[in-house]
Amino acid sequence: MKFCINCMAKIRDTKDVCPFCNQQQNIGVKSSFHLSPGITLKEGRYLLGRALVWDDFSVTYAGRDMIEDQIVTIQEYVPEAIARREQNGIGLACISQDVLRDYRRGLKSFVETGMLLKAKTDSLTNIVRVFDCFYENGTGYLIMEHVNGQSVKELLSEEHIFSPEPAKQVICAVLEGVATLHQAGIWHQDIHPGSILLTADGWIKITIPGGYRYQVIGNKVQRTSVVRDGYSAQEQYRNRGEIGAYTDVYEVGAVLFHMITGNRPQSAADRVYKDQLAFSDKMRKELPPNFQNALWNSLQIIPEERTHTPLDFQRELRAK
């Protein structure tokens, strides 16, 4: 028996196509930054499948916990701009001494925040659970629960537009989860349609971002600017912008705007110079006034004028 590199289900050694997910088993890696399926971590405990999603700071793989005999998701710290794979195709190293400090600082942030998430995972609501976190291969890894579902991004890409009530239900669950994350001492800073999962059994889950996208509350060190146009707040475009609970509020509000209009919001950086974010006349007539007020309060450009906390935003959405 072997494990499918895509869904990590047990399949026969002779199978070239998984009977469960219909994926080929002999496909290569899509990037030189990706680890090859079949590599193990932590003395053989965790088996890696193929890379599922990736960005400039991390790669997320299908995986399996061989001791617990369960499917997991494995996230690896991979800051592409300043890192390279070693010749063995496994180790990760910094490209030069000039950026070694940035590499180490990002790795330390990634692992330490992962450890905090692991310690607090039982107190977090609607957040993907973190089971393990460790250094290996010159980088760091998070072992997380496997979530079977569809992201809001995938639904929007299929031209699905949410009506106000279902959208509100999803967003209120997200706000509840983000609030527990703040109580644990972490700003999320990377909420977008791809980070919100609607599970097969009806739950809402928020994925864990990687690298510098974490900022422990009270940490004043300079951050690498990581933004998503349309979803990031204007303070995230500045390395020393004052990040707070209101930053995550803006991101959630931007996702809600996209869900009900089908359009990605105007970039906050552009709104500073010429704010063109608005509802259509039809939308203004159809949306309840309290819903519109709650949404616009969350999307104020200036942080001081914005809804301050996730629970405040949730209360405004539910107000009569």
Side-chain angles (χ1 to χ4, degrees):
M1 299 293 287
K2 63 181 180 181
F3 296 97
C4 170
I5 65 170
N6 181 68
C7 68
M8 302 309 291
K10 294 179 181 179
I11 61 176
R12 294 184 183 277
D13 292 332
T14 55
K15 292 289 186 181
D16 292 326
V17 177
C18 175
F20 299 101
C21 67
N22 295 318
Q23 292 292 316
Q24 290 280 346
Q25 299 304 296
N26 55 359
I27 57 175
V29 296
K30 293 187 176 181
S31 167
S32 60
F33 284 103
H34 299 173
L35 292 172
S36 298
I39 289 173
T40 60
L41 302 170
K42 209 169 187 181
E43 298 180 341
R45 173 163 186 173
Y46 302 111
L47 175 68
L48 267 79
R50 73 177 181 90
L52 302 174
V53 293
W54 54 91
D55 55 31
D56 294 340
F57 285 86
S58 64
V59 181
T60 301
Y61 305 87
R64 193 172 189 93
D65 184 335
M66 304 301 286
I67 292 179
E68 296 294 333
D69 193 26
Q70 66 178 8
I71 298 171
V72 294
T73 302
I74 302 174
Q75 188 176 84
E76 180 187 32
Y77 174 67
V78 187
E80 291 189 2
I82 57 175
R84 59 172 174 79
R85 283 284 175 210
E86 295 179 344
Q87 288 186 349
N88 63 8
I90 299 175
L92 200 71
C94 186
I95 59 174
S96 73
Q97 290 294 319
D98 295 338
V99 289
L100 182 59
R101 182 181 177 185
D102 289 334
Y103 181 86
R104 288 175 173 172
R105 186 171 59 194
L107 175 57
K108 184 172 183 285
S109 173
F110 180 88
V111 174
E112 287 187 351
T113 309
M115 290 177 176
L116 178 58
L117 288 164
K118 177 186 174 183
K120 299 284 188 178
T121 198
D122 289 337
S123 65
L124 300 177
T125 302
N126 301 333
I127 304 290
V128 170
R129 292 172 62 84
V130 175
F131 300 133
D132 203 355
C133 182
F134 52 90
Y135 292 100
E136 193 168 328
N137 300 327
T139 186
Y141 299 90
L142 299 184
I143 310 299
M144 303 173 292
E145 71 172 312
H146 167 71
V147 178
N148 183 22
Q150 198 170 22
S151 71
V152 169
K153 178 181 179 179
E154 290 172 315
L155 291 171
L156 291 172
S157 68
E158 296 168 359
E159 299 185 355
H160 177 87
I161 296 178
F162 290 76
S163 56
E165 193 57 35
K168 183 170 74 173
Q169 292 178 5
V170 171
I171 290 301
C172 283
V174 171
L175 291 167
E176 184 177 353
V178 173
T180 63
L181 199 62
H182 291 180
Q183 291 164 8
I186 300 172
W187 311 132
H188 191 290
Q189 292 192 88
D190 192 32
I191 301 165
H192 57 93
S195 70
I196 301 170
L197 304 176
L198 311 183
T199 72
D201 52 1
W203 291 93
I204 311 298
K205 287 282 188 176
I206 308 165
T207 62
I208 298 300
Y212 278 109
R213 294 203 181 114
Y214 293 117
Q215 184 184 25
V216 177
I217 294 173
N219 186 354
K220 297 297 184 182
V221 300
Q222 184 173 355
R223 303 182 314 281
T224 295
S225 180
V226 177
V227 296
R228 291 185 186 270
D229 279 340
Y231 309 110
S232 296
Q234 61 93 5
E235 61 268 21
Q236 292 175 278
Y237 286 81
R238 305 190 305 273
N239 270 349
R240 294 189 180 273
E242 288 298 320
I243 303 298
Y246 45 76
T247 304
D248 286 341
V249 166
Y250 185 98
E251 292 180 330
V252 178
V255 173
L256 177 56
F257 181 93
H258 195 165
M259 290 171 70
I260 62 174
T261 65
N263 299 314
R264 179 196 290 257
Q266 181 189 12
S267 164
D270 293 338
R271 293 182 65 203
V272 170
Y273 299 101
K274 186 176 183 180
D275 190 359
Q276 296 177 309
L277 189 66
F279 285 139
S280 65
D281 291 340
K282 181 176 182 292
M283 189 70 69
R284 280 197 296 270
K285 292 177 182 178
E286 292 179 353
L287 285 176
N290 68 295
F291 190 102
Q292 294 187 46
N293 291 336
L295 182 52
W296 290 124
N297 289 342
S298 74
L299 290 172
Q300 291 299 307
I301 299 173
I302 300 173
E304 291 78 11
E305 297 179 358
R306 196 181 305 151
T307 302
H308 198 70
T309 72
L311 294 182
D312 287 339
F313 187 11
Q314 188 184 71
R315 281 190 287 269
E316 290 185 16
L317 279 173
R318 289 173 171 169
K320 300 299 182 184

